[in-house]
Amino acid sequence: MDVKRVKDYLYWLYYQYQLVTCSYVLEPWEQSMFHTITVTVLAMVVYTAYVFVPIHVRLALEFFSQMFGSRPEGAV
């Protein structure tokens, strides 16, 4: 893959991000604050999903398996 095409594509994605969020009209210091807050919130959402979603899925599977009549692992 051509490096220039990848660079152009990433620049296009960043441009689309600026258009969607209307951050292109902000001053440079406002843009840096906006991007910092956006990245921080996104990182917190990803971390929370990584930590808590597997726990909730396991609990839901246990609940539904008990609800539909399968035996718990400890019962014989």
Side-chain angles (χ1 to χ4, degrees):
M1 204 191 246
D2 190 15
V3 175
K4 185 177 183 330
R5 292 181 83 190
V6 171
K7 185 179 174 183
D8 289 341
Y9 180 68
L10 290 175
Y11 180 75
W12 179 80
L13 284 177
Y14 179 70
Y15 181 69
Q16 292 296 316
Y17 163 75
Q18 283 187 326
L19 287 176
V20 168
T21 60
C22 296
S23 63
Y24 63 94
V25 296
L26 300 174
E27 293 183 15
W29 71 271
E30 292 173 329
Q31 281 184 353
S32 65
M33 291 297 293
F34 179 77
H35 296 319
T36 302
I37 292 169
T38 304
V39 168
T40 303
V41 168
L42 184 65
M44 289 190 303
V45 166
V46 168
Y47 174 75
T48 302
Y50 176 75
V51 170
F52 293 110
V53 167
I55 296 169
H56 286 77
V57 168
R58 183 180 55 83
L59 290 174
L61 287 174
E62 287 178 9
F63 174 76
F64 286 116
S65 68
Q66 289 176 2
M67 186 179 215
F68 293 119
S70 65
R71 294 182 183 170
E73 294 177 9
V76 175

